[in-house]
Amino acid sequence: MGKMRTQSAPWRAAAVLASVLLVGGVAACGNSDTGGGGTKDDGKITMGFSQVGAESGWRTANTTSIKESAAAAGVELKFDDAQQKQENQIKAIRNYIQQKVDVIAFSPVVESGWDTVLKEAKDAKIPVILTDRSVDSADKTLYKTFLGSDFVKEGKLAGEWLVEQKKSATGTVNIVELQGNTGAAPANDRKKGFGEAIAANPNLKIIASQPGDFTRAGGKQVMEQFLKANPKIDVLFAHNDDMGLGALEAITAAGKVPGKDITIITVDAVKDGMQALADGKFNFIAECSPLLGPQLMDLAKKVHAGEEVPPRIETEETTFTTEQAKEALPNRKY
Ligand code: GYE
């Protein structure tokens, strides 16, 4: 950090000089918005942000964090909600390129298929920051950095807790899994981490695994199918709180007691999830923080100033049991 700050001094000086020249130039030739980075006379930087959607409590908290932090950091934010569709995100990014924003940031709904549009941004010399979710592009020069959680670790922590809980189980433990939207990094990675962790005990078996798209409605609907098809379900692993909350309705409607008849593990730790955990309806949550806004704005300013930033910045996270949720809930921000 300290090192990066010292290195930044000449860049700042250069930026100040450049903006002085720009102001002079604009004054001389009238009011022309020449773009080329889009920095205006007031020195404000413009960020084009393409959000996944509004599918979950996590996402809502993430959007609020980004909007509030942009305002606090003096970043002019152009925001687009892609409604969980990659084509909408690509369209939004192309618009931002045309508008010559200073920085593009986005949370890719799926991992694959971004190379072309990222190359377009690179050719237009607009730096891109990935936030929350990553892409699987082989060319790492297509973006400056990726800020977000380690989803494999979250799945692993969830699985390790289950292994410990079931260490003295003699028979098979039947697990059902509600995945996030198909192809999304957190769906792929949480599945992977959880699977690897539970491999430690061959009694732990995933008997069904389907996408519930990270939504309550999806979680409810898929859990209904799971319950119909499988008379004995011991554990539910849901890739986020919202799908777990939707599943609660299906479980109760099927005459089972969530948290007792079926052990429920989720990821995120948003308020409603934490409440369900405190109430004993959920049994364990691996936290995933949506409060990425302040770090994102900081990174945007740095990449805009031409400073070096680390290629990967990981969010700090913890896990919660029922007791820990009861303690943490009163101070929970989201
Ligand atoms: O866990 C889920 C949301 O990408 C980490 O997306 C995010 C996930 C989060 O819909 O609730």
Side-chain angles (χ1 to χ4, degrees):
M1 286 292 267
K3 204 168 164 213
M4 284 178 355
R5 287 228 169 90
T6 359
Q7 278 174 347
S8 77
W11 283 106
R12 289 239 173 84
V16 169
L17 184 62
S19 65
V20 167
L21 290 175
L22 185 70
V23 171
V26 168
C29 52
N31 189 15
S32 73
D33 184 5
T34 47
T39 305
K40 298 198 197 61
D41 306 351
D42 58 7
K44 254 196 175 186
I45 71 167
T46 304
M47 173 189 284
F49 186 89
S50 167
Q51 180 60 290
V52 168
E55 73 282 3
S56 64
W58 191 99
R59 189 65 54 198
T60 312
N62 180 244
T63 293
T64 305
S65 170
I66 287 160
K67 288 184 175 168
E68 285 178 359
S69 319
V75 170
E76 194 179 319
L77 184 70
K78 294 175 190 288
F79 183 92
D80 183 79
D81 174 338
Q83 302 184 337
Q84 297 238 63
K85 291 206 178 79
Q86 182 172 33
E87 68 208 69
N88 291 346
Q89 288 202 293
I90 292 175
K91 217 186 278 167
I93 293 168
R94 290 204 165 120
N95 275 338
Y96 295 146
I97 295 172
Q98 249 179 11
Q99 292 168 26
K100 298 188 166 78
V101 298
D102 296 306
V103 179
I104 291 172
F106 79 115
S107 171
V109 60
V110 292
E111 280 186 289
S112 305
W114 298 102
D115 289 25
T116 307
V117 74
L118 288 177
K119 178 95 191 350
E120 288 166 21
K122 194 180 172 188
D123 290 346
K125 299 196 167 45
I126 301 178
V128 173
I129 299 174
L130 302 177
T131 163
D132 159 33
R133 300 182 183 180
S134 193
V135 298
D136 63 5
S137 303
D139 181 358
K140 307 290 176 211
T141 69
L142 293 177
Y143 55 91
K144 293 289 178 197
T145 182
F146 165 42
L147 164 69
S149 309
D150 180 342
F151 302 132
V152 177
K153 189 160 132 201
E154 292 165 354
K156 223 177 220 147
L157 290 169
E160 282 168 1
W161 178 82
L162 187 63
V163 168
E164 178 60 25
Q165 291 300 301
K166 301 288 179 188
K167 64 176 178 226
S168 44
T170 46
T172 306
V173 176
N174 286 344
I175 305 166
V176 295
E177 182 179 32
L178 285 168
Q179 301 171 31
N181 62 287
T182 306
N188 294 339
D189 294 355
R190 286 171 186 164
K191 180 166 189 41
K192 180 170 185 268
F194 184 77
E196 282 171 6
I198 63 165
N201 180 350
N203 278 335
L204 303 181
K205 285 219 168 71
I206 299 179
I207 56 163
S209 181
Q210 294 283 331
D213 295 341
F214 283 127
T215 64
R216 287 192 193 202
K220 181 175 178 219
Q221 199 197 329
V222 179
M223 191 67 199
E224 279 166 1
Q225 292 165 17
F226 285 165
L227 286 158
K228 261 187 216 143
N230 306 281
K232 183 179 174 281
I233 295 174
D234 303 303
V235 177
L236 163 65
F237 172 46
H239 288 186
N240 77 343
D241 288 336
D242 282 79
M243 290 191 293
L245 291 162
L248 286 183
E249 294 177 44
I251 294 169
T252 314
K256 300 197 188 244
V257 183
K260 297 213 163 53
D261 296 335
I262 299 179
T263 299
I264 302 178
I265 306 166
T266 67
V267 186
D268 276 357
V270 294
K271 253 191 193 141
D272 290 353
M274 290 289 272
Q275 188 62 58
L277 183 57
D279 295 343
K281 294 175 182 163
F282 285 0
N283 304 82
F284 189 73
I285 304 181
E287 185 187 40
C288 178
S289 174
L291 305 181
L292 304 177
Q295 273 172 296
L296 175 61
M297 298 311 144
D298 196 41
L299 285 166
K301 287 185 176 174
K302 284 186 171 142
V303 299
H304 180 60
E307 291 179 37
E308 283 295 319
V309 294
R312 173 78 174 101
I313 299 160
E314 224 179 272
T315 324
E316 269 182 41
E317 278 144 5
T318 182
T319 59
F320 296 98
T321 59
T322 290
E323 284 317 308
Q324 291 164 332
K326 281 184 189 160
E327 247 176 68
L329 205 46
N331 303 315
R332 207 71 189 151
K333 298 262 181 319
Y334 53 91

